[in-house]
Amino acid sequence: EKKAPSFVRGQVPLIHFHKQSEKGTGPLNSKGPVPFSARDATVDRDLGIALAQLGSKQRRHNISQLVFPLLQPHLVDWPDDPEAVAAKAVALALGGNTTESLRLVEKLLRRAPSRELDLVTAAFLSATLGRHEDAVDYWQRTLEVNPAFSDYHVALAAEYVHLKNWDLAVPSLRRGLGLNPARLDARKLLIQCLAQQGNRQQAEQEFAVYSSLGAKDTEEVRRSLLRVGN
């Protein structure tokens, strides 16, 4: 089994799809290969966005340093390009500048209030900054756009837990589990919330389901349930 190549600091871990040779030619047009020098801005913009997505998915914080020089020339000419701005925001967050990242995403949302990816990013960034009420608002707006994704309901419930609002966390978790009944993390959180509500009977019922699904930490969850009950 081959291991994924390791990330080398300063090295771009992606290759542009249309690069055909080491001579720097791009895709063919009616007159033959297009030199990359004529396409640098577009290629760099696309590569910067792809790198930001890769860094976000794999939590590669040091990839952010590669994104800015690729995106910046394009953003000088096209400062309102939503995909490029969103990629810059991701890179800022990976680099630890969460406040500036959120500022950029909120600017995007003022132009396109229902853009799902930006709403999700704003929710996560708000939570990272400890702004849990703002995160609740962003998750609610996200669910208005896409109510059929279990992750969003569970993420909203997690924010309610931060605010100790068990009464709102429980129905959010039930909606998430209705969409994905096998989510152990959501069931574990539901047990906690029911216990905090004082609803011990339902908490024990949910614990029985949790145990039947083969969770590895059932004994730990059982002890936690007993502590809340006492």
Side-chain angles (χ1 to χ4, degrees), residues 18-27 33-38 40:
H18 292 295
K19 187 174 181 180
Q20 295 178 341
S21 74
E22 295 301 319
K23 297 181 180 179
T25 58
V34 179
F36 263 103
S37 59
D40 283 345

Side-chain angles (χ1 to χ4, degrees), residues 82 85 102-123 126 137-138 141-142 145:
V85 174
L102 181 57
R103 187 191 69 80
L104 286 181
V105 175
E106 288 176 333
K107 184 178 179 180
L108 289 172
L109 286 170
R110 284 195 289 273
R111 297 195 189 101
S114 298
R115 187 175 151 96
E116 183 177 343
L117 181 59
D118 293 336
L119 288 167
V120 170
T121 302
S126 296
D137 179 65
Y138 283 124
R141 289 170 59 183
T142 304
V145 177

